[in-house]
């Protein structure tokens, strides 16, 4: 940060403090280039490094940049200095949802709206292999239209390091929203843990207080691990049924998003709204809902995940990126781009490995070393600067979502680029979800070109 002016990297004018989290502060800021309001989360690298989560956070952030949804705070840009990481995010003007609850329980209509938006956001991210693992009031924000904006999605490594580090853990207060299996610190499934937290949120919205609460922390843990809670008298039966399924301490038995969506309360909401909703359903669907449904269809059919809404929001994102024509992050510097490439894939690791092996065979390259998730491909012919060698490393985000890095480990950079462009990229085409970094702009332009067509639908 410049010391004379309140400007960050000559691109953002920093404004007031919006809040303080475990890892640092969040400031309001305005882009000097586009004038857009943003929120900037400033994270102390040391705190993250202490728990050994740096690499994971970088990977998560790479993924997070791909996740765009109307109910999720979008990560616009990441910058880094020696000691700090800056997450530039969409700004949620309406503040925290729970400032509303602090004034008393919500009307069933309103709780229904926010809960549906939350489940849609969570479902969308899960379909992309991204988990939250820290759903709690501070991360549920509202935009200027009073629609939900979930923040910190994709930063589950941060949530993890908070839990690993006893010190950080105590600063983040009581784990009222955390699933029992997470508290037990055994391996857990991010999908199920998020659903538990959504259940707690639903309870709080309708009741105005927490389902698991006790002045004695041990007693509170006990209640959480038993799933022991009591619904107030005004909770309708269909909400009670839904909550029992979501707040099941056994993650195996806990409701899935599909089950939540099937529940009568989720579908119809409060009786007073039923008629209105039916009318709405016959009329035009909410564009946000539409984007979600179409995205899901795409996710399930495993095709190119480009829906009208995704394209539209990618376009908005890129207007900002292109107009400031810059490094998207301190992590992906230009010099690296020429020697390495990254892509995400929705295929299992074995499929990716087999494909890389086929490519090596066809290019008459030797597969020299094969550790877990690492393939070394070595050319047999000597090139300008010795044999060209590539390392392909596969990082698991989930069993069906991987980040793959292909790096030149030896040989001439020009030869590397040639073989990548002519052979490797085309041969990987059908297993690549998105190429990261250098193709981003090209890709977004292609996406942007599709917008008029999509909008006509
Ligand atoms: P944790 O450190 O566990 O994530 P937290 O969510 O409270 O806790 P931060 O994510 O650092 O911490 O956020 C701090 C506060 O800043 C939030 O409580 C919220 O009120 C505000 N805030 C965060 N992101 C935004 C945003 N995009 N727009 C507006 N306000 C935000
Ligand atoms: Mg937060």
């Amino acid at each position: 940060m410049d010391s004379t002016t309140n400007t960050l990297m000559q691109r953002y004018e920093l404004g007031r403090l919006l809040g303080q989290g475990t890892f640092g502060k969040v400031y309001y800021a305005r882009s000097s280039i586009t004038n857009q309001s943003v929120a900037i989360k400033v994270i102390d690298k040391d705190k993250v490094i202490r728990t050994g989560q740096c690499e994971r956070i970088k990977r998560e952030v790479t993924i997070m940049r791909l996740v765009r949804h109307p109910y999720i705070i979008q990560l616009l840009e990441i910058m880094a200095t020696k000691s700090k990481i800056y997450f530039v995010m969409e700004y949620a003007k309406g503040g925290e949802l729970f400032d509303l609850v602090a004034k008393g329980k919500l009307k069933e209509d309103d709780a229904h709206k926010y809960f549906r938006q939350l489940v849609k956001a969570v479902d969308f991210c899960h379909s992309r292999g991204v988990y939250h693992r820290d759903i709690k009031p501070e991360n549920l924000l509202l935009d200027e239209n009073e629609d939900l904006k979930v923040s910190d999605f994709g930063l589950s490594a941060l949530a993890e390091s908070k839990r690993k580090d006893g010190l950080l853990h105590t600063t983040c207060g009581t784990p009222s929203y955390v699933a029992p299996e997470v508290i037990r610190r055994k391996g857990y499934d991010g999908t199920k843990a998020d659903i538990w937290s959504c259940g707690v949120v639903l309870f709080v919205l309708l009741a105005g207080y927490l389902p698991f609460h006790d002045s004695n922390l041990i007693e509170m843990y006990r209640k959480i691990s038993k799933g022991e809670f009591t619904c107030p008298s005004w909770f309708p039966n269909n909400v009670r049924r839904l909550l029992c399924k979501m707040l099941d301490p056994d993650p195996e038995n806990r409701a899935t998003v599909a089950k939540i969506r099937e529940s009568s309360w989720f579908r119809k909401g409060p009786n007073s709204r039923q008629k209105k909703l039916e009318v709405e359903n016959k009329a035009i669907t909410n564009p946000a809902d539409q984007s979600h449904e179409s995205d899901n269809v795409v996710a399930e059919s495993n095709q190119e995940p480009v829906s009208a809404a995704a394209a539209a929001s990618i376009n908005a994102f890129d207007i900002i990126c292109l107009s400031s024509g810059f490094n998207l992050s301190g992590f992906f510097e230009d010099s690296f781009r020429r020697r390495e490439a990254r892509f995400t894939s929705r295929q299992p690791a074995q499929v990716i490995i087999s494909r890389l092996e086929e490519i090596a065979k066809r290019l008459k390259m030797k597969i020299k070393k094969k550790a877990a998730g690492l393939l070394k491909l070595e050319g047999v012919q000597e090139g300008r600067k010795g044999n060209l060698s590539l390392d392909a490393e596969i990082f698991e985000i989930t069993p069906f979502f991987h980040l793959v890095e292909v790096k030149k480990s030896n040989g001439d950079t020009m030869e590397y680029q040639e073989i990548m462009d002519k052979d490797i990229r085309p041969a990987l085409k059908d297993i690549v979800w998105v190429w990261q970094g250098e193709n981003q702009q090209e890709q977004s332009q292609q996406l942007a070109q599709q917008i008029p067509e999509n909008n006509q639908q």
Side-chain angles (χ1 to χ4, degrees), residues 221-282:
Y221 279 138
R222 195 194 60 76
K223 285 182 181 165
I224 293 175
S225 65
K226 291 248 155 41
E228 217 177 274
F229 66 98
T230 315
C231 293
S233 57
W234 61 86
F235 275 26
N237 281 337
N238 51 3
V239 172
R240 287 166 194 253
R241 282 199 299 273
L242 177 58
L243 279 169
C244 286
K245 287 185 205 145
M246 295 180 77
L247 297 175
D248 187 324
D250 178 359
E252 292 302 315
N253 270 336
R254 199 171 298 152
T256 56
V257 171
K259 280 270 171 281
I260 299 171
R261 282 172 169 271
E262 275 170 24
S263 73
S264 63
W265 192 74
F266 185 92
R267 280 186 293 130
K268 299 203 182 89
N271 289 336
S272 62
R273 260 192 108 200
Q274 205 164 319
K275 265 218 157 86
K276 205 172 137 228
L277 269 177
E278 277 164 11
V279 174
E280 267 176 24
N281 282 341
K282 277 193 196 132

Side-chain angles (χ1 to χ4, degrees), residues 67-307:
V67 175
R68 290 178 191 129
H69 190 270
Y71 303 139
I72 295 172
I73 291 276
Q74 198 186 322
L75 180 67
L76 300 171
E77 181 177 5
I78 318 133
M79 298 180 292
T81 60
K82 248 191 181 148
S83 60
K84 300 262 194 290
I85 305 171
Y86 300 94
F87 291 96
V88 182
M89 308 171 282
E90 219 180 321
Y91 169 57
K93 200 176 175 190
E96 292 177 20
L97 168 64
F98 279 68
D99 287 343
L100 295 182
V101 188
K103 292 180 199 144
K105 65 184 163 75
L106 298 192
K107 285 199 209 114
E108 204 181 329
D109 271 1
D110 294 335
H112 184 249
K113 168 183 144 178
Y114 294 128
F115 179 71
R116 278 179 67 107
Q117 294 185 340
L118 174 63
V119 169
K120 285 175 183 195
V122 166
D123 189 20
F124 174 81
C125 280
H126 288 179
S127 77
R128 299 287 189 271
V130 179
Y131 308 104
H132 198 295
R133 301 206 266 184
D134 202 15
I135 294 172
K136 57 176 185 177
E138 293 84 349
N139 287 332
L140 301 180
L141 306 172
L142 297 175
D143 67 10
E144 63 276 18
N145 304 316
E146 293 188 354
D147 282 324
L148 194 71
K149 289 274 179 185
V150 187
S151 87
D152 289 349
F153 233 120
L155 288 180
S156 51
L158 281 178
E160 187 78 341
S161 46
K162 258 189 328 206
R163 287 174 194 127
K164 276 193 182 154
D165 184 325
L167 237 177
L168 291 178
H169 194 65
T170 53
T171 59
C172 72
T174 54
S176 309
Y177 290 80
V178 176
E181 68 274 16
V182 180
I183 294 176
R184 273 182 243 125
R185 295 181 192 218
K186 295 209 179 116
Y188 64 90
D189 175 342
T191 322
K192 310 273 180 178
D194 280 349
I195 287 173
W196 173 279
S197 310
C198 291
V200 178
V201 169
L202 173 58
F203 186 103
V204 176
L205 293 178
L206 287 166
Y209 58 84
L210 286 161
F212 307 106
H213 186 70
D214 203 288
S215 52
N216 178 339
L217 200 60
I218 305 284
E219 182 54 20
M220 190 174 111
Y221 279 138
R222 195 194 60 76
K223 285 182 181 165
I224 293 175
S225 65
K226 291 248 155 41
E228 217 177 274
F229 66 98
T230 315
C231 293
S233 57
W234 61 86
F235 275 26
N237 281 337
N238 51 3
V239 172
R240 287 166 194 253
R241 282 199 299 273
L242 177 58
L243 279 169
C244 286
K245 287 185 205 145
M246 295 180 77
L247 297 175
D248 187 324
D250 178 359
E252 292 302 315
N253 270 336
R254 199 171 298 152
T256 56
V257 171
K259 280 270 171 281
I260 299 171
R261 282 172 169 271
E262 275 170 24
S263 73
S264 63
W265 192 74
F266 185 92
R267 280 186 293 130
K268 299 203 182 89
N271 289 336
S272 62
R273 260 192 108 200
Q274 205 164 319
K275 265 218 157 86
K276 205 172 137 228
L277 269 177
E278 277 164 11
V279 174
E280 267 176 24
N281 282 341
K282 277 193 196 132
I284 201 155
T285 321
N286 175 341
D289 288 6
Q290 219 167 21
S291 75
H292 177 80
E293 307 309 354
S294 55
D295 272 324
N296 239 9
V297 172
V298 168
E300 275 152 25
S301 65
N302 216 5
Q303 298 188 348
E304 257 330 273
V306 178
S307 71

Side-chain angles (χ1 to χ4, degrees), residues 255-392:
T256 56
V257 171
K259 280 270 171 281
I260 299 171
R261 282 172 169 271
E262 275 170 24
S263 73
S264 63
W265 192 74
F266 185 92
R267 280 186 293 130
K268 299 203 182 89
N271 289 336
S272 62
R273 260 192 108 200
Q274 205 164 319
K275 265 218 157 86
K276 205 172 137 228
L277 269 177
E278 277 164 11
V279 174
E280 267 176 24
N281 282 341
K282 277 193 196 132
I284 201 155
T285 321
N286 175 341
D289 288 6
Q290 219 167 21
S291 75
H292 177 80
E293 307 309 354
S294 55
D295 272 324
N296 239 9
V297 172
V298 168
E300 275 152 25
S301 65
N302 216 5
Q303 298 188 348
E304 257 330 273
V306 178
S307 71
S313 66
I314 284 170
N315 189 38
F317 170 80
D318 284 301
I319 289 167
I320 302 158
C321 293
L322 293 171
S323 60
S324 40
F326 52 73
N327 66 323
L328 268 172
S329 88
F331 300 128
F332 310 118
E333 286 161 26
D334 276 349
S335 58
F336 283 124
R337 288 190 187 164
R338 301 176 42 228
R339 289 179 270 122
E340 67 179 57
R342 291 183 176 89
F343 66 87
T344 44
S345 172
R346 299 169 59 85
Q347 298 294 329
Q350 202 43 55
V351 172
I352 301 170
I353 292 171
S354 311
R355 177 61 59 88
L356 289 165
E357 284 170 343
E358 277 167 32
I359 294 173
K361 208 165 155 195
R362 201 153 39 75
L363 295 174
K364 300 197 170 56
M365 292 178 95
K366 278 194 292 188
I367 298 195
K368 217 176 161 200
K369 191 179 135 202
K370 214 164 118 176
L374 179 68
L375 293 183
K376 275 184 172 295
L377 315 187
E378 197 180 283
V380 280
Q381 281 179 5
E382 185 148 348
R384 275 184 290 249
K385 288 186 186 165
N387 295 15
L388 181 67
S389 303
L390 309 179
D391 285 357

